Structure formats: structure tokens, C-alpha cells
Amino acid sequence: MSTTDTRPTPTRSSLPLVRPQLPRWAPALVAVVAAAVGALPMIVLGWGIVGAVVLAALVYVVALPVWSRAVEGSRRSTDRLVSTLIWGAFVLAMLPLFSLVWTVVSNGAPALSVEFFTNSMFSVVGEGGGIYHAIIGTVIVTAWAAAISVPVGVMAAIYLIEYGKGRPLARVITFLVDVMTGIPSIVAGLFAYALFVIFFGPGVRMGFGGSIALSVLMIPIVVRSTEEMLKLVPDELREASYALGVPKWRTITKVVLPTSMAGILTGVMLAVARVAGETAPLLIIAGDTDGTNFNAFSERMATLPVFIYYSYTQPGIPPEFGRERAWGAALVLIVIVMGLNLLARAIGRYFTPKTGR
């Protein structure tokens, strides 16, 4: 007597197409367990917060891939391990930034007030005073630096891309721009001081000298950013313009520059944000003063970075007021630089050519 196998034949629809997967809340659960494991020696053995965080991170990096390997297999486990390491590297890179911002905000926020923004340090000893004169000086010095650097940088980039391809002069300019990119800021300050000593004699200090020093640092940034933006303009646009009989200079001003305007303005704003926080060249040539100076071509001019430096290194007696003003000015400077970066993004988005699709 023969028996008949009654087991159903596997069909395509009955076979699982994917392996089992961990629930979506699995990483959160592992993170909670890892945090508990890290906190345990901190409570029992008195470990510091750094040791507890390192232990929790190690537990998370090991536990999640092991659990994933048992349920999801080796490929998914490796993917989770690599993803965890990438996110860990990102968090590690952000820690100094968050620590810096938290330190500046916690120390500088108590100094902010209406008087802090509207008063200078003229005839102020001890408590009181503000950074009005330093804000005005920073705006004037940076504006002059931009007025010098932007035309020079943009025209140099136009020559390199549109006229100087393959020419010896273009190679020399490119080499000099590379050298200027690596110049230390203190050297730029010494250059500006040496230049002004020729005309005004030793001991000269003026805000325009600070603008010259900052322009030395700003020009290579403008050249590089403009150069890269001009390279992105398709040659077909230039050739179409030439085919219509438009001369080269008009093609550049009416076709090439408007097409790359968003990137050029973004690069300019980032260059301004870059030099607004420079301290060393302004210490040498712009100097410092307690009063407000609106004339960049006469006498010393206070700026925020120099104000921060002197307020922290020479806070006066009692020192707590000077150091509080230094932290407050540092917070204002960070907000200004961040605002310039956000403005650069907004300008870039506004001037980006619309595709119409």
C-alpha cells in the first residue's frame, strides 16, 4: 500500500520575498538600553559623563548590528553598522560646534541689552558701555574691503575664464591667487601696515588700512568662487550669442554674468563673512579706540574682533564687566557671520535662473 504526499507544493505567492526585519523602533530601544548601560557605572562607580557616553556609544554600535544579524542577516547588519558609524562621525564633528555655540550663548546672552548696542566705551570704566563703536567700525572696514575686493576678484576671474585660457599671464595670476589663498592673516596686516608707513610714516593706524589688509584675504576667495561659477556656464550659450553676431564683451555682460550671478553673489557674501571675523590684521593697522569713528581715513577705528580681544585680555578693574562685554560682543559677531551666510543662501536662491518648467 502506497502513501500519498499531501504537503502543498510551494508556490511563488507563498514564498517570502524579503527577510524578516527589525521593527522601526528597534534603534530607539537599543539607544535607551545603551544609555541605561552607560549611566549605570556613572551612578555606581562615579564615572564622568564622557566615560558614560563612550560606553553607551560602544554598546549601541555593538548591540544593534548583532541584533540585526540575528534577525535580518549579514547584509542588513553590515548596512546598519556602517550607518551607525557614519552618524557617529557626524555627531562627533558637530560636538565642538555645539559646545562653542552653547559656551558663547550662555556667557554672552546676559550682556545683551539696548544700552549694549547703543553705547560706546567712551569715558566708561567698569560697568556699562557697549559695542556701538565696534559695530560701526566693523561695518565700515568690511564694506571698504568688499568695495576693493569684489571688482578686482570678479574681473580677474573673468580674464582667467573668458580671455586668458592657455596664456602665460593667466598661469601667473592663477599661481599668485593660490599663494594668496594661503597667506596668514597676520602677514596681510603687516603688508598693509608697511604700505601705509610709506605714505604716512611709522605708527599709522586707520580703518582703511584694515580694509586693505582684509581685501588681501578676500580677493582670492572672490576669484576662486567666481571662477568656478563661470566654468559652470555652458559653452553653448556663448556660442549661440556669438552666432547672432553679439561681441564678446556683451556676451559676457548679458549672458555669462547673469547666468552665474547667483553663485557669484553667494561667493562674495561668504567671503565677506569670512573676513568679518579676522582679528590679527586689524590689530596691527586699524588699532582700537573707545569712541565712535565714522571716517575710515582718519585715526584708529574699533572693530568687533579687536574689541573682543582687548576686552578679554585687558578687562580692567573689576575684570568681570570687561569679560562679560567680550562674551556679548563674541555672540553678536557670530550672529552677524551666521546672518551673512543665510543672506548668501537667500541671494543665491533669488538670483538662480528660472527654468520655467
Side-chain angles (χ1 to χ4, degrees):
M1 182 176 180
S2 64
T3 59
T4 304
D5 189 1
T6 59
R7 288 180 300 179
T9 303
T11 61
R12 184 181 180 87
S13 59
S14 64
L15 292 174
L17 297 179
V18 296
R19 293 180 63 91
Q21 294 186 353
L22 292 179
R24 298 184 62 180
W25 43 263
L29 177 61
V30 175
V32 171
V33 173
V37 173
L40 188 62
M42 188 173 64
I43 298 173
V44 177
L45 303 177
W47 283 19
I49 184 67
V50 176
V53 170
V54 171
L55 179 60
L58 290 176
V59 171
Y60 184 86
V61 169
V62 173
L64 184 61
V66 169
W67 189 10
S68 175
R69 186 181 186 85
V71 177
E72 301 174 321
S74 60
R75 293 183 61 183
R76 184 64 174 165
S77 172
T78 304
D79 181 64
R80 288 188 180 274
L81 175 62
V82 173
S83 300
T84 303
L85 293 177
I86 290 174
W87 277 102
F90 171 74
V91 172
L92 193 63
M94 289 295 104
L95 281 178
L97 175 62
F98 286 122
S99 176
L100 172 68
V101 173
W102 172 254
T103 302
V104 175
V105 171
S106 59
N107 288 284
L112 303 185
S113 64
V114 176
E115 292 76 16
F116 188 69
F117 290 99
T118 56
N119 292 343
S120 68
M121 290 300 297
F122 187 70
S123 301
V124 175
V125 178
E127 189 177 8
I131 59 172
Y132 174 74
H133 62 307
I135 293 177
I136 295 297
T138 299
V139 171
I140 293 175
V141 170
T142 308
W144 273 110
I148 297 169
S149 306
V150 173
V152 175
V154 171
M155 291 186 181
I158 291 175
Y159 173 78
L160 291 175
I161 299 300
E162 304 295 338
Y163 293 97
K165 288 183 179 177
R167 296 186 178 182
L169 180 59
R171 289 196 290 270
V172 172
I173 293 175
T174 301
F175 174 74
L176 293 177
V177 170
D178 292 339
V179 173
M180 289 177 67
T181 305
I183 287 180
S185 59
I186 188 72
V187 176
L190 289 173
F191 161 75
Y193 179 76
L195 178 65
F196 277 72
V197 163
I198 296 175
F199 300 99
F200 301 98
V204 59
R205 298 285 190 280
M206 66 173 63
F208 188 70
S211 302
I212 296 293
L214 294 184
S215 66
V216 174
L217 304 174
M218 191 173 172
I219 285 175
I221 303 175
V222 176
V223 172
R224 283 292 177 228
S225 59
T226 305
E227 199 177 351
E228 295 301 322
M229 291 302 105
L230 294 179
K231 287 179 181 176
L232 294 178
V233 179
D235 287 336
E236 288 78 4
L237 288 178
R238 298 179 176 88
E239 294 168 357
S241 179
Y242 299 151
L244 295 174
V246 180
K248 189 166 187 174
W249 68 270
R250 197 167 182 83
T251 300
I252 294 172
T253 56
K254 295 296 183 181
V255 176
V256 177
L257 288 180
T259 305
S260 57
M261 186 59 68
I264 294 174
L265 291 177
T266 302
V268 169
M269 295 304 297
L270 293 177
V272 172
R274 162 71 176 81
V275 301
E278 285 293 344
T279 307
L282 300 178
L283 274 172
I284 295 176
I285 183 63
D288 189 32
T289 179
D290 293 335
T292 306
N293 180 11
F294 292 94
N295 187 0
F297 299 91
S298 175
E299 302 299 333
R300 298 167 180 261
M301 179 168 283
T303 53
L304 278 174
V306 177
F307 176 84
I308 296 168
Y309 174 77
Y310 280 117
S311 296
Y312 201 83
T313 58
Q314 302 174 17
I317 300 175
E320 56 267 24
F321 299 115
R323 287 174 181 163
E324 185 182 61
R325 287 192 292 267
W327 282 110
L331 177 58
V332 172
L333 183 60
I334 288 177
V335 171
I336 291 175
V337 173
M338 187 178 297
L340 289 173
N341 280 277
L342 294 176
L343 181 62
R345 289 182 175 274
I347 290 175
R349 179 171 298 183
Y350 180 79
F351 283 97
T352 299
K354 307 298 185 294
T355 60
R357 294 182 179 178

